[in-house]
Amino acid sequence: MSYRTRANMMMIGVNVFWGMSYVFMKMGLNSLGSFTIIALRCLIAFFIAGLFFHKPLRQITRQTIGSSAILGFLLFSVFSFVTFGVSRTSASNAGFLVSLTVIFVPLLNCFLVKKLPSWPIGLGVITTLTGIGVLTLKHSFHMNAGDLLCIGTALCYAIHITLTGTFTKNENPIALGILQLGFAGLFALTCSFLFEHPSIPTTLSSWIAILGLGVLCSAIGFICQAIAQRYTTPTHTGLIFATEPIFAALFAVLFLHELFTFKELIGSVIVVAGILIAQLDNFLLKKRVHYQETLPK
């Protein structure tokens, strides 16, 4: 199994945890403010990850700190935009718009390398976006302030994915993943004191929510993302992230007792098909390399 395949499988595992985050967020918002939840999840993740992976932190450079601050601010923006966006638009519109990340990532990547995407990537993006639409759109589409915030979420997420792929090529991915959580937590904690009344969880459900968000969705999730992106491309990462609505729907059925309709099942199948189509890019690239190696010198 190649390093890229293992990295892609790791990213799918990360999306399982992030699918669970919607359940945890709903549990936490019953008693805690939005910025408070973001601060607690990020700071808990920062201290836990730092405890287990303290050796890479001993060798951090000024460049690593700067890169982590940038990624931390983008991460804080993602969490903030999606939290306030969902409160101002329908869940179906929010799911579709946040998933526009799969479009923004290849567009940003093409802009950076000044090259159009290959046909498998292009077809995979179109297919995946179609599946997301079938999976999440349930009512007529109307643009409002919440929709714009969700588009901002997708754009910040895409920039985060792209920059993570760039930074991890030259810097320690574990140190980068840990420090970005610390910076995101500090940004959120500052906003919590400015705009909310910060407090710690007081109920069992809120503690489960915060620990789930902090340990599974943040500590494990973002460190695995930073490691995996050293061995895969930003475009493939963005496409794999399109599976997040599927896992979110699955956990909503299991824990929130929401219905998963036939229409949503069809959408999930289309999303997976789009991801598989995009993986043809790797297969065709290997075929071209093998063919060139067999040509007479």
Side-chain angles (χ1 to χ4, degrees):
M1 185 182 297
S2 67
Y3 283 113
R4 176 169 290 185
T5 301
R6 293 178 182 177
N8 289 337
M9 292 178 63
M10 184 181 293
M11 293 307 305
I12 292 175
V14 168
N15 276 265
V16 173
F17 292 144
W18 287 343
M20 295 173 63
S21 70
Y22 292 95
V23 175
F24 292 138
M25 284 287 289
K26 195 163 187 177
M27 293 168 59
L29 285 170
N30 290 328
S31 57
L32 298 170
S34 299
F35 287 129
T36 302
I37 290 176
I38 297 170
L40 287 173
R41 73 177 289 183
C42 291
L43 292 177
I44 288 174
F46 169 72
F47 286 113
I48 291 177
L51 180 64
F52 284 94
F53 301 98
H54 56 87
K55 290 184 178 180
L57 295 178
R58 298 176 182 176
Q59 302 173 350
I60 60 175
T61 63
R62 184 176 298 179
Q63 182 178 351
T64 302
I65 294 175
S67 299
S68 300
I70 294 172
L71 293 179
F73 179 76
L74 289 170
L75 194 59
F76 163 71
S77 301
V78 167
F79 290 149
S80 300
F81 282 177
V82 71
T83 301
F84 290 103
V86 167
S87 67
R88 291 168 172 80
T89 188
S90 66
S92 57
N93 275 7
F96 176 74
L97 292 171
V98 171
S99 297
L100 285 175
T101 300
V102 304
I103 296 299
F104 288 141
V105 168
L107 291 178
L108 287 173
N109 194 48
C110 290
F111 176 77
L112 291 175
V113 301
K114 298 180 181 179
K115 182 180 179 181
L116 292 174
S118 63
W119 72 263
I121 295 295
L123 182 58
V125 167
I126 295 173
T127 305
T128 302
L129 186 60
T130 301
I132 291 171
V134 173
L135 181 67
T136 59
L137 284 177
K138 300 178 179 65
H139 306 289
S140 60
F141 189 91
H142 297 287
M143 186 68 67
N144 56 36
D147 296 328
L148 294 175
L149 286 171
C150 289
I151 292 175
T153 302
L155 181 59
C156 289
Y157 212 172
I159 296 173
H160 182 274
I161 292 169
T162 303
L163 289 182
T164 299
T166 301
F167 292 156
T168 54
K169 301 301 181 184
N170 302 313
E171 301 173 36
N172 188 301
I174 297 179
L176 203 62
I178 294 172
L179 289 177
Q180 71 168 346
L181 290 168
F183 279 110
L186 289 177
F187 292 135
L189 187 62
T190 301
C191 290
S192 178
F193 277 103
L194 290 175
F195 305 111
E196 298 175 350
H197 299 286
S199 61
I200 62 173
T202 56
T203 64
L204 178 61
S205 62
S206 60
W207 271 113
I208 292 174
I210 292 301
L211 291 177
L213 289 169
V215 178
L216 297 179
C217 305
S218 299
I220 296 177
F222 285 103
I223 291 175
C224 286
Q225 177 196 351
I227 295 173
Q229 281 199 245
R230 172 172 278 188
Y231 304 103
T232 190
T233 64
T235 298
H236 282 145
T237 300
L239 286 167
I240 292 172
F241 279 1
T243 61
E244 184 179 322
I246 298 175
F247 294 120
L250 175 62
F251 290 120
V253 170
L254 292 177
F255 297 107
L256 301 179
H257 307 293
E258 295 182 0
L259 296 177
F260 194 69
T261 65
F262 180 74
K263 171 176 170 289
E264 291 168 333
L265 176 62
I266 294 299
S268 302
V269 172
I270 297 174
V271 168
V272 174
I275 294 171
L276 293 177
I277 291 172
Q279 296 305 311
L280 288 174
D281 185 55
N282 286 334
F283 176 77
L284 294 177
L285 177 61
K286 291 180 181 179
K287 285 290 185 181
R288 286 195 298 270
V289 172
H290 178 71
Y291 175 72
Q292 291 173 357
E293 290 177 346
T294 58
L295 292 176
K297 304 295 183 181

